[in-house]
Amino acid sequence: MSLAEKMTRWAVVNGVGELQSATIEARLRLKDPSIGIQVEAGKFRVVRTYRGKTTTVIPISGWLSPSEALAFLKAL
């Protein structure tokens, strides 16, 4: 199995498509295009990202499981 196949399988198992949809829905609902998801070591964090001369990332949640991150986005 290739690396791309492994990554795709991991994304499906961990609900990454659902997280992406929930992120887009939150952006539209709140009229806030800065909302995004940060991923590290299999954990997810909801953030606001501002771009200028430098990029500023401000966490608005702690590190969460995929299902917790999904619930957090829906509750925003």
Side-chain angles (χ1 to χ4, degrees):
M1 179 182 307
S2 72
L3 178 59
E5 291 169 325
K6 287 179 183 177
M7 290 173 65
T8 300
R9 182 174 289 179
W10 180 89
V12 169
V13 168
N14 288 286
V16 173
E18 286 181 87
L19 279 170
Q20 183 179 26
S21 294
T23 301
I24 292 167
E25 289 169 10
R27 287 176 185 164
L28 294 172
R29 186 175 66 251
L30 300 171
K31 297 179 175 79
D32 185 352
S34 69
I35 294 174
I37 294 286
Q38 190 175 34
V39 182
E40 186 175 306
K43 292 288 188 173
F44 297 79
R45 180 163 63 179
V46 182
V47 298
R48 284 196 167 96
T49 304
Y50 301 99
R51 290 181 173 85
K53 285 187 176 181
T54 60
T55 299
T56 304
V57 178
I58 301 169
I60 57 175
S61 78
W63 291 105
L64 307 166
S65 70
S67 61
E68 291 169 329
L70 185 61
F72 188 92
L73 284 165
K74 290 182 177 184
L76 282 176

